[in-house]
Amino acid sequence: MLKNEIYDLMETAAVLSKGLHRYPKFMEDAKGCGSCQQIWSYMRQTDEEQLRRILAHLKQHFDREVELKLATA
């Protein structure tokens, strides 16, 4: 069973990952407004950064779990 903090990170990573595919459509829809395109571009970049940070932190949790399992085996 996953700890809540790990589950929460995994769930958030999934939501961010699923949402990233929508940004090209948003950019296409906003092709007549440079300001809208800037907003969508900024939001995509921040979502990508958040996803990278979450995945890196999840890896730390998983690596720690593996070390603990190996130490007790």
Coordinates of all heavy atoms in Angstrom, one line a residue:
M1 N 0.8 -1.2 0.0 CA 0.0 0.0 0.0 C 0.9 1.2 0.0 O 1.9 1.3 0.7 CB -0.9 0.0 1.2 CG -1.9 1.1 1.3 SD -3.2 0.6 2.4 CE -3.8 2.2 2.8
L2 N 0.5 2.2 -0.8 CA 1.3 3.4 -0.9 C 1.0 4.4 0.2 O -0.2 4.5 0.6 CB 1.0 4.1 -2.3 CG 1.5 3.4 -3.5 CD1 1.0 4.2 -4.8 CD2 3.0 3.3 -3.6
K3 N 2.0 5.1 0.6 CA 1.7 6.2 1.6 C 1.0 7.3 0.9 O 1.1 7.5 -0.3 CB 3.1 6.7 2.1 CG 3.9 5.7 2.9 CD 5.2 6.3 3.3 CE 6.1 5.3 4.0 NZ 7.4 5.8 4.3
N4 N 0.2 8.0 1.7 CA -0.6 9.1 1.1 C 0.2 10.1 0.3 O -0.2 10.5 -0.8 CB -1.4 9.8 2.2 CG -2.6 9.0 2.6 OD1 -3.0 8.1 2.0 ND2 -3.2 9.4 3.8
E5 N 1.4 10.5 0.9 CA 2.1 11.5 0.2 C 2.6 11.0 -1.2 O 2.7 11.8 -2.2 CB 3.3 12.0 1.0 CG 4.4 11.0 1.3 CD 4.2 10.3 2.7 OE1 3.0 10.2 3.2 OE2 5.2 9.8 3.2
I6 N 2.9 9.7 -1.3 CA 3.4 9.2 -2.6 C 2.2 9.0 -3.5 O 2.3 9.4 -4.7 CB 4.0 7.8 -2.4 CG1 5.3 8.0 -1.6 CG2 4.3 7.1 -3.7 CD1 6.0 6.7 -1.2
Y7 N 1.1 8.6 -3.0 CA -0.1 8.5 -3.9 C -0.5 9.8 -4.4 O -0.9 10.0 -5.6 CB -1.3 7.8 -3.1 CG -2.6 7.7 -3.9 CD1 -2.7 6.6 -4.7 CD2 -3.5 8.7 -3.8 CE1 -3.9 6.6 -5.5 CE2 -4.7 8.6 -4.6 CZ -4.9 7.6 -5.4 OH -6.0 7.5 -6.2
D8 N -0.5 10.8 -3.5 CA -0.9 12.2 -4.0 C 0.0 12.7 -5.1 O -0.5 13.3 -6.0 CB -0.9 13.2 -2.8 CG -1.9 12.8 -1.7 OD1 -2.9 12.1 -2.0 OD2 -1.7 13.3 -0.6
L9 N 1.3 12.5 -4.9 CA 2.2 12.9 -6.0 C 2.0 12.1 -7.3 O 2.0 12.7 -8.4 CB 3.7 12.7 -5.5 CG 4.2 13.6 -4.5 CD1 5.5 13.1 -3.9 CD2 4.3 15.0 -5.0
M10 N 1.7 10.8 -7.2 CA 1.4 10.1 -8.4 C 0.1 10.5 -9.1 O 0.1 10.7 -10.3 CB 1.3 8.6 -8.1 CG 2.7 8.0 -7.7 SD 2.6 6.2 -7.3 CE 1.8 5.5 -8.7
E11 N -0.9 10.8 -8.3 CA -2.1 11.2 -8.9 C -2.0 12.6 -9.6 O -2.5 12.8 -10.7 CB -3.2 11.3 -7.8 CG -4.6 11.7 -8.3 CD -5.6 11.6 -7.2 OE1 -5.3 11.8 -6.0 OE2 -6.8 11.5 -7.6
T12 N -1.2 13.5 -8.9 CA -1.0 14.8 -9.5 C -0.2 14.7 -10.8 O -0.5 15.4 -11.8 CB -0.3 15.7 -8.5 OG1 -1.2 15.8 -7.3 CG2 -0.1 17.1 -9.0
A13 N 0.8 13.8 -10.8 CA 1.6 13.6 -12.0 C 0.7 13.1 -13.1 O 0.9 13.6 -14.3 CB 2.8 12.7 -11.7
A14 N -0.2 12.2 -12.8 CA -1.1 11.7 -13.9 C -2.0 12.8 -14.4 O -2.2 12.9 -15.7 CB -1.9 10.6 -13.3
V15 N -2.5 13.7 -13.6 CA -3.4 14.8 -14.0 C -2.6 15.7 -14.9 O -3.1 16.1 -16.0 CB -4.0 15.5 -12.8 CG1 -4.7 16.8 -13.2 CG2 -5.0 14.5 -12.1
L16 N -1.4 16.1 -14.4 CA -0.6 17.0 -15.2 C -0.2 16.4 -16.6 O -0.3 17.1 -17.6 CB 0.7 17.4 -14.5 CG 0.5 18.3 -13.3 CD1 1.8 18.4 -12.5 CD2 0.2 19.7 -13.8
S17 N 0.2 15.2 -16.6 CA 0.6 14.5 -17.8 C -0.6 14.4 -18.8 O -0.4 14.7 -20.0 CB 1.1 13.1 -17.5 OG 1.5 12.4 -18.6
K18 N -1.8 14.1 -18.3 CA -2.9 14.0 -19.2 C -3.3 15.4 -19.7 O -3.8 15.5 -20.9 CB -4.1 13.4 -18.4 CG -4.0 12.0 -18.1 CD -5.2 11.5 -17.3 CE -5.1 10.0 -16.9 NZ -6.2 9.6 -16.1
G19 N -3.1 16.4 -18.9 CA -3.5 17.8 -19.3 C -2.5 18.4 -20.4 O -2.9 19.2 -21.2
L20 N -1.3 17.9 -20.4 CA -0.3 18.5 -21.3 C -0.7 18.4 -22.8 O -0.3 19.2 -23.6 CB 1.1 18.0 -21.0 CG 1.8 18.6 -19.8 CD1 3.0 17.8 -19.4 CD2 2.1 20.0 -20.0
H21 N -1.4 17.3 -23.1 CA -1.7 17.1 -24.5 C -2.7 18.1 -25.0 O -2.9 18.2 -26.2 CB -2.2 15.6 -24.7 CG -3.7 15.5 -24.3 ND1 -4.1 15.4 -23.0 CD2 -4.8 15.5 -25.1 CE1 -5.5 15.3 -23.1 NE2 -5.9 15.4 -24.3
R22 N -3.4 18.8 -24.2 CA -4.4 19.8 -24.6 C -3.8 21.1 -25.1 O -4.4 21.9 -25.8 CB -5.4 20.1 -23.5 CG -6.2 18.8 -23.1 CD -7.3 19.2 -22.1 NE -6.8 20.0 -21.0 CZ -6.9 19.8 -19.8 NH1 -7.5 18.7 -19.4 NH2 -6.4 20.6 -18.8
Y23 N -2.6 21.4 -24.6 CA -2.0 22.8 -24.9 C -1.9 23.1 -26.4 O -2.1 24.2 -26.8 CB -0.7 23.0 -24.2 CG -1.0 23.3 -22.7 CD1 -0.7 22.3 -21.7 CD2 -1.6 24.4 -22.3 CE1 -1.0 22.6 -20.4 CE2 -1.9 24.7 -21.0 CZ -1.6 23.7 -20.0 OH -1.9 24.0 -18.7
P24 N -1.5 22.1 -27.3 CA -1.4 22.5 -28.7 C -2.8 22.9 -29.2 O -2.9 23.9 -30.0 CB -1.0 21.2 -29.4 CG -0.2 20.5 -28.3 CD -0.9 20.8 -27.0
K25 N -3.9 22.3 -28.8 CA -5.2 22.7 -29.2 C -5.5 24.1 -28.7 O -6.1 24.9 -29.4 CB -6.2 21.7 -28.7 CG -7.7 22.1 -28.9 CD -8.1 22.1 -30.3 CE -9.6 22.3 -30.4 NZ -9.9 23.2 -31.5
F26 N -5.2 24.4 -27.4 CA -5.4 25.7 -26.9 C -4.6 26.8 -27.7 O -5.1 27.9 -28.0 CB -5.0 25.8 -25.4 CG -5.8 24.9 -24.5 CD1 -5.3 24.6 -23.2 CD2 -7.0 24.4 -24.8 CE1 -6.0 23.8 -22.4 CE2 -7.7 23.6 -24.0 CZ -7.2 23.3 -22.7
M27 N -3.4 26.5 -28.0 CA -2.6 27.4 -28.8 C -3.2 27.6 -30.2 O -3.2 28.7 -30.7 CB -1.1 26.9 -29.0 CG -0.4 26.8 -27.7 SD 0.0 28.5 -27.1 CE 1.3 29.0 -28.2
E28 N -3.7 26.6 -30.8 CA -4.4 26.7 -32.1 C -5.6 27.6 -32.0 O -5.8 28.4 -32.8 CB -4.7 25.3 -32.6 CG -5.5 25.3 -33.9 CD -4.7 25.9 -35.1 OE1 -3.5 25.8 -35.1 OE2 -5.4 26.4 -36.1
D29 N -6.4 27.3 -30.9 CA -7.6 28.1 -30.7 C -7.3 29.6 -30.5 O -8.1 30.5 -30.8 CB -8.4 27.6 -29.5 CG -9.0 26.2 -29.8 OD1 -9.1 25.8 -31.0 OD2 -9.5 25.6 -28.8
A30 N -6.1 29.9 -29.9 CA -5.7 31.2 -29.6 C -4.9 31.9 -30.7 O -4.3 32.9 -30.4 CB -5.0 31.2 -28.3
K31 N -4.8 31.3 -31.9 CA -3.9 31.8 -32.9 C -4.1 33.3 -33.2 O -3.2 34.0 -33.7 CB -3.9 30.9 -34.1 CG -5.2 30.9 -34.9 CD -5.2 30.0 -36.0 CE -6.5 29.8 -36.6 NZ -6.6 28.7 -37.6
G32 N -5.3 33.8 -33.0 CA -5.6 35.2 -33.3 C -5.3 36.2 -32.1 O -5.4 37.4 -32.3
C33 N -4.8 35.6 -31.0 CA -4.5 36.5 -29.9 C -3.1 36.1 -29.3 O -3.0 35.1 -28.6 CB -5.6 36.3 -28.8 SG -5.3 37.4 -27.3
G34 N -2.2 37.0 -29.5 CA -0.8 36.7 -29.0 C -0.8 36.6 -27.5 O 0.0 35.8 -26.9
S35 N -1.6 37.4 -26.8 CA -1.6 37.4 -25.3 C -2.1 36.0 -24.8 O -1.6 35.5 -23.9 CB -2.5 38.5 -24.8 OG -1.9 39.8 -25.1
C36 N -3.2 35.5 -25.5 CA -3.7 34.2 -25.1 C -2.6 33.1 -25.3 O -2.4 32.3 -24.5 CB -4.9 33.9 -25.9 SG -6.4 34.8 -25.4
Q37 N -1.9 33.2 -26.5 CA -0.9 32.2 -26.7 C 0.2 32.3 -25.7 O 0.8 31.3 -25.3 CB -0.3 32.4 -28.1 CG -1.3 32.0 -29.2 CD -0.7 32.1 -30.6 OE1 0.1 32.9 -30.9 NE2 -1.0 31.1 -31.4
Q38 N 0.6 33.5 -25.3 CA 1.6 33.6 -24.2 C 1.1 33.0 -22.9 O 1.9 32.3 -22.2 CB 1.9 35.1 -24.0 CG 2.8 35.7 -25.0 CD 3.1 37.2 -24.8 OE1 2.4 37.9 -24.0 NE2 4.1 37.7 -25.4
I39 N -0.1 33.2 -22.6 CA -0.7 32.6 -21.4 C -0.6 31.1 -21.5 O -0.1 30.4 -20.5 CB -2.1 33.0 -21.1 CG1 -2.1 34.5 -20.7 CG2 -2.8 32.2 -20.0 CD1 -3.5 35.1 -20.7
W40 N -1.1 30.5 -22.6 CA -1.0 29.0 -22.8 C 0.4 28.5 -22.8 O 0.6 27.4 -22.2 CB -1.8 28.6 -24.0 CG -3.3 28.8 -23.9 CD1 -4.0 29.5 -24.8 CD2 -4.2 28.4 -22.9 NE1 -5.4 29.5 -24.4 CE2 -5.5 28.8 -23.2 CE3 -4.0 27.6 -21.8 CZ2 -6.6 28.5 -22.4 CZ3 -5.1 27.3 -21.0 CH2 -6.4 27.8 -21.3
S41 N 1.3 29.2 -23.4 CA 2.7 28.8 -23.4 C 3.3 28.8 -22.0 O 3.9 27.8 -21.6 CB 3.5 29.7 -24.3 OG 4.8 29.3 -24.3
Y42 N 3.0 29.8 -21.3 CA 3.5 29.9 -19.9 C 2.9 28.8 -19.0 O 3.6 28.1 -18.3 CB 3.1 31.2 -19.3 CG 3.4 31.3 -17.8 CD1 4.6 31.5 -17.3 CD2 2.3 31.2 -16.9 CE1 4.9 31.5 -15.9 CE2 2.5 31.2 -15.5 CZ 3.8 31.4 -15.0 OH 4.1 31.5 -13.7
M43 N 1.6 28.5 -19.2 CA 1.0 27.5 -18.4 C 1.5 26.1 -18.8 O 1.8 25.3 -17.9 CB -0.6 27.5 -18.6 CG -1.1 28.8 -17.9 SD -2.9 28.8 -18.1 CE -3.4 27.5 -17.0
R44 N 1.8 25.8 -20.1 CA 2.4 24.6 -20.5 C 3.7 24.4 -19.8 O 4.1 23.3 -19.3 CB 2.4 24.5 -22.0 CG 3.1 23.2 -22.5 CD 3.3 23.2 -24.0 NE 4.0 24.4 -24.5 CZ 5.3 24.6 -24.4 NH1 6.1 23.7 -23.8 NH2 5.9 25.6 -24.8
Q45 N 4.5 25.5 -19.9 CA 5.9 25.4 -19.3 C 5.8 25.1 -17.8 O 6.6 24.3 -17.3 CB 6.6 26.7 -19.6 CG 7.0 26.9 -21.1 CD 7.6 28.2 -21.4 OE1 7.7 29.1 -20.5 NE2 7.9 28.5 -22.6
T46 N 4.9 25.8 -17.1 CA 4.9 25.6 -15.7 C 4.4 24.2 -15.4 O 4.9 23.5 -14.4 CB 4.0 26.6 -15.0 OG1 2.7 26.6 -15.5 CG2 4.7 28.0 -15.1
D47 N 3.4 23.7 -16.1 CA 2.9 22.3 -15.9 C 4.1 21.3 -16.2 O 4.2 20.3 -15.4 CB 1.7 22.0 -16.8 CG 0.4 22.6 -16.3 OD1 0.4 23.2 -15.2 OD2 -0.6 22.4 -17.0
E48 N 4.8 21.5 -17.2 CA 6.0 20.6 -17.5 C 7.0 20.6 -16.4 O 7.5 19.6 -16.0 CB 6.6 21.0 -18.9 CG 5.8 20.6 -20.1 CD 6.4 21.2 -21.4 OE1 7.2 22.1 -21.3 OE2 5.9 20.7 -22.4
E49 N 7.3 21.8 -15.9 CA 8.2 21.9 -14.8 C 7.7 21.3 -13.5 O 8.4 20.5 -12.8 CB 8.5 23.4 -14.5 CG 9.4 23.6 -13.3 CD 10.8 22.9 -13.4 OE1 11.3 22.7 -14.5 OE2 11.4 22.7 -12.3
Q50 N 6.4 21.5 -13.2 CA 5.8 20.8 -12.1 C 5.9 19.3 -12.2 O 6.2 18.6 -11.3 CB 4.4 21.2 -11.9 CG 4.2 22.6 -11.4 CD 2.7 23.0 -11.4 OE1 1.9 22.3 -10.9 NE2 2.4 24.2 -11.9
L51 N 5.6 18.8 -13.4 CA 5.6 17.3 -13.7 C 7.1 16.8 -13.5 O 7.3 15.8 -12.8 CB 5.1 17.0 -15.0 CG 5.1 15.5 -15.4 CD1 4.2 14.8 -14.4 CD2 4.6 15.4 -16.8
R52 N 8.1 17.5 -14.0 CA 9.5 17.1 -13.8 C 9.8 17.1 -12.3 O 10.5 16.1 -11.9 CB 10.4 18.1 -14.6 CG 10.6 17.8 -16.0 CD 11.7 18.6 -16.6 NE 11.5 20.0 -16.6 CZ 10.8 20.7 -17.6 NH1 10.3 20.0 -18.6 NH2 10.6 22.0 -17.6
R53 N 9.4 18.1 -11.6 CA 9.8 18.1 -10.2 C 9.1 17.0 -9.4 O 9.7 16.3 -8.6 CB 9.4 19.4 -9.6 CG 10.3 20.6 -10.1 CD 9.9 21.9 -9.5 NE 10.3 21.9 -8.1 CZ 10.2 22.9 -7.2 NH1 9.6 24.0 -7.6 NH2 10.6 22.8 -6.0
I54 N 7.8 16.7 -9.7 CA 7.1 15.6 -9.0 C 7.8 14.3 -9.4 O 8.0 13.4 -8.5 CB 5.6 15.6 -9.4 CG1 4.9 16.8 -8.8 CG2 4.9 14.3 -9.0 CD1 3.5 17.1 -9.3
L55 N 8.1 14.0 -10.7 CA 8.6 12.8 -11.1 C 10.0 12.6 -10.4 O 10.3 11.4 -10.0 CB 8.7 12.7 -12.6 CG 7.4 12.6 -13.3 CD1 7.6 12.6 -14.8 CD2 6.6 11.4 -12.9
A56 N 10.8 13.6 -10.3 CA 12.1 13.5 -9.7 C 12.0 13.2 -8.2 O 12.7 12.3 -7.7 CB 12.9 14.8 -9.9
H57 N 11.0 13.8 -7.6 CA 10.8 13.5 -6.1 C 10.2 12.1 -5.9 O 10.6 11.4 -5.0 CB 9.9 14.6 -5.5 CG 9.8 14.5 -4.1 ND1 10.9 14.7 -3.3 CD2 8.8 14.2 -3.2 CE1 10.6 14.6 -2.0 NE2 9.3 14.2 -1.9
L58 N 9.3 11.7 -6.8 CA 8.8 10.3 -6.7 C 9.9 9.3 -6.8 O 10.0 8.3 -6.1 CB 7.8 10.0 -7.8 CG 6.4 10.5 -7.5 CD1 5.5 10.4 -8.7 CD2 5.8 9.6 -6.4
K59 N 10.9 9.6 -7.7 CA 12.0 8.7 -7.9 C 12.8 8.6 -6.6 O 13.2 7.5 -6.2 CB 12.9 9.1 -9.0 CG 14.1 8.2 -9.3 CD 15.0 8.6 -10.4 CE 16.1 7.7 -10.7 NZ 16.8 7.1 -9.6
Q60 N 13.0 9.7 -5.9 CA 13.6 9.6 -4.6 C 12.9 8.7 -3.6 O 13.5 7.9 -2.9 CB 13.8 11.1 -4.0 CG 14.7 11.9 -4.8 CD 14.7 13.4 -4.2 OE1 14.0 13.7 -3.3 NE2 15.5 14.2 -4.9
H61 N 11.6 8.9 -3.6 CA 10.8 8.0 -2.7 C 11.0 6.6 -3.0 O 11.2 5.7 -2.2 CB 9.3 8.4 -2.7 CG 8.9 9.5 -1.9 ND1 8.8 9.4 -0.5 CD2 8.6 10.8 -2.2 CE1 8.4 10.6 0.0 NE2 8.3 11.5 -1.0
F62 N 10.9 6.2 -4.3 CA 11.0 4.9 -4.8 C 12.3 4.3 -4.5 O 12.5 3.1 -4.1 CB 10.6 4.7 -6.2 CG 9.1 5.0 -6.5 CD1 8.7 5.7 -7.6 CD2 8.1 4.5 -5.6 CE1 7.4 5.9 -7.9 CE2 6.8 4.8 -5.9 CZ 6.4 5.5 -7.0
D63 N 13.4 5.1 -4.8 CA 14.7 4.6 -4.5 C 14.9 4.3 -3.0 O 15.5 3.3 -2.6 CB 15.8 5.7 -5.0 CG 15.9 5.8 -6.5 OD1 15.3 4.9 -7.2 OD2 16.5 6.7 -7.0
R64 N 14.4 5.2 -2.2 CA 14.5 5.0 -0.7 C 13.7 3.7 -0.3 O 14.2 2.9 0.5 CB 13.8 6.2 0.0 CG 14.4 6.4 1.3 CD 14.0 7.8 1.9 NE 14.1 8.9 1.0 CZ 13.2 9.8 0.8 NH1 12.1 9.9 1.6 NH2 13.4 10.8 -0.1
E65 N 12.6 3.4 -0.9 CA 11.8 2.2 -0.6 C 12.6 1.0 -1.0 O 12.6 0.0 -0.3 CB 10.5 2.2 -1.3 CG 9.5 3.2 -0.7 CD 9.0 2.8 0.7 OE1 8.8 1.7 1.0 OE2 8.9 3.8 1.5
V66 N 13.3 1.0 -2.2 CA 14.1 -0.1 -2.6 C 15.2 -0.3 -1.7 O 15.5 -1.5 -1.3 CB 14.6 0.1 -4.1 CG1 15.6 -0.9 -4.4 CG2 13.4 0.1 -5.0
E67 N 15.9 0.7 -1.3 CA 17.0 0.6 -0.3 C 16.6 0.0 1.0 O 17.2 -0.9 1.6 CB 17.6 2.0 0.0 CG 18.4 2.5 -1.2 CD 18.9 4.0 -1.0 OE1 18.8 4.4 0.2 OE2 19.4 4.6 -1.9
L68 N 15.4 0.4 1.5 CA 14.9 -0.2 2.7 C 14.5 -1.6 2.6 O 14.8 -2.5 3.5 CB 13.6 0.6 3.2 CG 13.9 2.0 3.7 CD1 12.5 2.7 4.0 CD2 14.6 1.9 5.0
K69 N 14.0 -2.0 1.5 CA 13.6 -3.4 1.2 C 14.9 -4.3 1.1 O 14.9 -5.4 1.7 CB 12.8 -3.6 -0.1 CG 11.5 -2.9 0.0 CD 10.5 -3.6 0.8 CE 9.1 -2.9 0.6 NZ 8.2 -3.2 1.6
L70 N 15.9 -3.8 0.5 CA 17.1 -4.5 0.3 C 17.9 -4.6 1.7 O 18.5 -5.7 1.9 CB 18.0 -3.9 -0.7 CG 17.6 -3.9 -2.2 CD1 18.5 -3.1 -3.1 CD2 17.5 -5.4 -2.7
A71 N 17.8 -3.6 2.5 CA 18.4 -3.6 3.8 C 17.8 -4.6 4.7 O 18.5 -5.2 5.6 CB 18.5 -2.2 4.4
T72 N 16.5 -4.8 4.6 CA 15.8 -5.7 5.5 C 15.7 -7.2 4.9 O 15.2 -8.0 5.6 CB 14.4 -5.2 5.8 OG1 13.6 -5.1 4.6 CG2 14.5 -3.9 6.5
A73 N 16.2 -7.4 3.7 CA 16.1 -8.7 3.1 C 17.1 -9.6 3.5 O 18.1 -9.3 4.1 CB 16.1 -8.6 1.6

